[in-house]
Amino acid sequence: MIKTTIAGSLPKPSWLAEPEKLWAGWRLEGDQLIEGQQDAALCWLKIQDEAGIDIQCDGEQFRKHFVHGFLEEVEGIDWNLMTTMGIRDNRYDASVPTVTSAVRRKKSVHGDSVKFLRRHATKQLKFTLPGPMTICDTIADQHYGERAKMAMAFAELLNEEALELEALGVDVIQFDEPAFNAFMHLVPEWGVDCLHRAIQGLKCKTAVHICYGYGIKQNIDWKSTLGSEWRQYEEFFPALNASRIDQVSLECADSRVPLSVMSALKDKEVLVGAINVASTEVETPEKVAATLRAALEFVDPERLIACTNCGMAPLSRKVAEGKLHALGAGAAIISKELSGR
């Protein structure tokens, strides 16, 4: 059977945050905000159940931003000292907080959220955390002096958090590393070492997600400059295959990624992106199945997990829900084909 999961974020309900806007501010406060986040998570867990998603997550309903949602509970960061810096190798500029002293967790960041999710999730539960390299590409540094050194410091904090989440019943912990596709040469140099520090001691499944970004203008414009084939993965997949990470998540749907790059991940479970998150068109199950069928030329069925290209936070709920159902139905088509062999 081909299992299914999603890469990360899902749209927030209109009563929780402004819809179809990436990283929108909350519309609730205090206890009402917590209750609203829980209600939103329950909604998406139910929709994932109905869509046949096997490895489920909260869709980041408890976070505004996939990186800063973790950093908000970290000491050593000055949120009043905002710095404008280039993100993803200067693909676009952003105003980001600044590290001014050694970083340390104030407390468990996502523990309460995971306790709630574990009580209500009916299937395997995945939780996503920002990867060390991507954190360092989304925050300014006035303390460590070297990006690799700062990344390792954050990897230690991520490991503390991940161990706590595993103890609360999380089945898969995924680290989101879109920065890997911008700094390919650094992945073998220190990116994998930081991931190893982040997963140290974990017994649950571990994953790293590397995509070409949300379906926002800056990413779409960047993709248009990459030529007829997108070969970023080719440079660092061998290093990931040699790593201790269990799963690698990549973008395949409607992309120019040569599917042959997956041959370099012969020892990993591969989360094949079969849903295009940069389009509001809802895929047919047959289109999802076609993407998965093509991937099976390079990935054994027992190692293939159907996934989305990236998160779906900027999309409407109706579109995201439709895409989840298409993902589940498309994977079911392939599972039926494989059972008939």
Side-chain angles (χ1 to χ4, degrees), residues 320-335:
E321 188 171 346
K323 286 176 177 284
L324 288 180
H325 279 273
L327 181 65
I333 291 172
I334 299 299
S335 293

Side-chain angles (χ1 to χ4, degrees), residues 12 44 46-47 58 62 66 76 78 88 121 129 135 139 151 157 163 209 213 237 246 256 276 280 289 294 312 318 329:
K12 292 181 173 63
W44 280 115
K46 184 176 186 299
I47 291 170
D58 73 311
F62 296 93
F66 82 107
D78 189 340
R88 308 293 181 266
L129 294 170
I135 288 178
I139 194 167
L157 304 191
L163 288 168
H209 169 67
F237 271 8
D246 298 312
R256 295 176 184 173
N276 181 0
T280 57
M312 294 193 280
K318 181 179 180 181

Side-chain angles (χ1 to χ4, degrees), residues 82-93:
M82 302 299 286
T83 303
T84 299
M85 59 179 273
I87 304 295
R88 308 293 181 266
D89 199 20
N90 297 310
R91 195 182 310 166
Y92 56 93
D93 290 336

Side-chain angles (χ1 to χ4, degrees), residues 134-147:
T134 296
I135 288 178
C136 292
D137 192 47
T138 321
I139 194 167
D141 176 27
Q142 286 191 5
H143 176 72
Y144 288 98
E146 295 179 18
R147 184 167 282 198

Side-chain angles (χ1 to χ4, degrees), residues 107 120 127 153 167 240 247 284 286 299 330:
K107 60 178 182 178
H120 295 282
F127 202 84
L240 285 180
Q247 302 176 343
T284 63
E286 290 74 19
V299 183

Side-chain angles (χ1 to χ4, degrees), residues 110-125:
H110 301 300
D112 288 342
S113 302
V114 165
K115 288 177 186 176
F116 177 84
L117 293 168
R118 188 64 281 174
R119 286 200 304 271
H120 295 282
T122 60
K123 298 183 180 178
Q124 283 196 313
L125 178 64

Side-chain angles (χ1 to χ4, degrees), residues 60-267:
E60 297 179 12
Q61 300 304 300
F62 296 93
R63 289 169 276 178
K64 280 191 294 187
H65 188 284
F66 82 107
V67 176
H68 292 171
F70 178 76
L71 298 183
E72 286 170 356
E73 296 298 334
V74 173
E75 291 181 344
I77 299 172
D78 189 340
W79 292 85
N80 294 314
L81 181 58
M82 302 299 286
T83 303
T84 299
M85 59 179 273
I87 304 295
R88 308 293 181 266
D89 199 20
N90 297 310
R91 195 182 310 166
Y92 56 93
D93 290 336
S95 181
V96 301
T98 306
V99 174
T100 55
S101 63
V103 293
R104 186 176 71 87
R105 284 190 318 158
K106 301 175 187 176
K107 60 178 182 178
S108 174
V109 180
H110 301 300
D112 288 342
S113 302
V114 165
K115 288 177 186 176
F116 177 84
L117 293 168
R118 188 64 281 174
R119 286 200 304 271
H120 295 282
T122 60
K123 298 183 180 178
Q124 283 196 313
L125 178 64
K126 176 165 78 173
F127 202 84
T128 63
L129 294 170
M133 183 183 289
T134 296
I135 288 178
C136 292
D137 192 47
T138 321
I139 194 167
D141 176 27
Q142 286 191 5
H143 176 72
Y144 288 98
E146 295 179 18
R147 184 167 282 198
K149 185 177 179 181
M150 183 166 70
M152 190 60 75
F154 278 112
E156 293 174 5
L157 304 191
L158 289 166
N159 181 246
E160 294 172 6
E161 184 76 14
L163 288 168
E164 291 179 3
L165 301 185
E166 178 188 51
L168 293 172
V170 171
D171 300 290
V172 182
I173 294 179
Q174 174 180 297
F175 296 90
D176 295 330
E177 283 286 22
F180 277 16
N181 259 357
F183 306 101
M184 292 83 72
H185 64 290
L186 296 179
V187 178
E189 286 185 21
W190 55 264
V192 170
D193 287 342
C194 288
L195 280 180
H196 282 163
R197 182 63 185 88
I199 68 171
Q200 186 174 308
L202 290 174
K203 298 179 179 63
C204 66
K205 288 280 188 179
T206 59
V208 60
H209 169 67
I210 313 116
C211 64
Y212 286 77
Y214 280 114
I216 58 176
K217 184 179 186 302
Q218 295 95 328
N219 291 329
I220 293 171
D221 289 347
W222 172 61
K223 289 179 183 182
S224 70
T225 70
L226 299 180
S228 60
E229 288 191 333
W230 305 346
R231 291 194 168 271
Q232 281 75 9
Y233 290 139
E234 209 165 42
E235 189 166 340
F236 56 83
F237 271 8
L240 285 180
N241 190 64
S243 76
R244 296 195 294 274
I245 290 285
D246 298 312
Q247 302 176 343
V248 179
S249 171
L250 69 156
E251 177 169 330
C252 297
D254 294 334
S255 78
R256 295 176 184 173
V257 173
L259 297 186
S260 59
V261 300
M262 290 184 281
S263 299
L265 298 173
K266 60 184 179 64
D267 300 314

